[in-house]
Amino acid sequence: MDNQTKAVFLLENRPLMVAALGSAIRNLFSVDFSQFHSYEEMPKTFPSQSLLFLAVHLLPVDAHIPSKKEGVVAVVYGEYFTPNCAPWWIERGARGVWDLRDGLETIQGSLSEAEEKEFKSPTVVRELNRSAYRDWE
């Protein structure tokens, strides 16, 4: 995603994370973002060329993760992804998986390539290497 990103959506209910990610989003994309406190508040469809940051602790197990086919890049993020958890989100359709133990700077460059390929933060890659899941490469 780049400066052509039309809209950014953030699913997050922690004020400190909203402030930190909001500042980073504005600096990276020069756009305002729409923030939601719960999955149920979010729209069911998103404009093409949108970027979604989705906190995994707010996503229901059966939540629809918008896909590249829908013209949307969805990045799920959270703390302490495991070898089983990270592949699960990839299989569900997340274009990016970001472990918050890795700073935002670790994925900033990858966001510009997100339309072409999936990306994972370094900790997620380590966890995937520990898992039996190998289709992520």
Side-chain angles (χ1 to χ4, degrees), residues 43-54:
K44 300 302 176 218
T45 60
F46 299 91
S48 182
Q49 295 182 317
S50 291
L51 175 62
L52 280 66
F53 287 96
L54 305 169

Side-chain angles (χ1 to χ4, degrees), residues 55-72:
V56 296
H57 74 277
L58 294 175
L59 290 171
V61 172
D62 60 348
H64 169 69
I65 306 295
S67 68
K68 181 182 174 185
K69 292 177 189 172
E70 297 169 68
V72 174

Side-chain angles (χ1 to χ4, degrees), residues 8-22 25 33-42 52-59 75-79 98 100:
V8 178
F9 297 86
L10 174 62
L11 175 62
E12 178 59 74
N13 62 355
R14 298 170 287 187
L16 186 58
M17 287 300 298
V18 171
L21 285 174
I25 288 167
F33 64 95
S34 299
Q35 188 253 331
F36 302 93
H37 289 92
S38 72
Y39 179 78
E40 294 74 24
E41 291 178 7
M42 292 181 61
L52 280 66
F53 287 96
L54 305 169
V56 296
H57 74 277
L58 294 175
L59 290 171
V75 177
V76 297
Y77 67 91
E79 300 87 355
W98 170 35
L100 291 175

Side-chain angles (χ1 to χ4, degrees), residues 114-127:
E115 289 182 1
E116 287 79 40
K117 63 180 185 176
E118 294 176 345
F119 66 92
K120 296 111 191 125
S121 69
T123 298
V124 170
V125 170
R126 279 193 303 279
E127 292 301 321

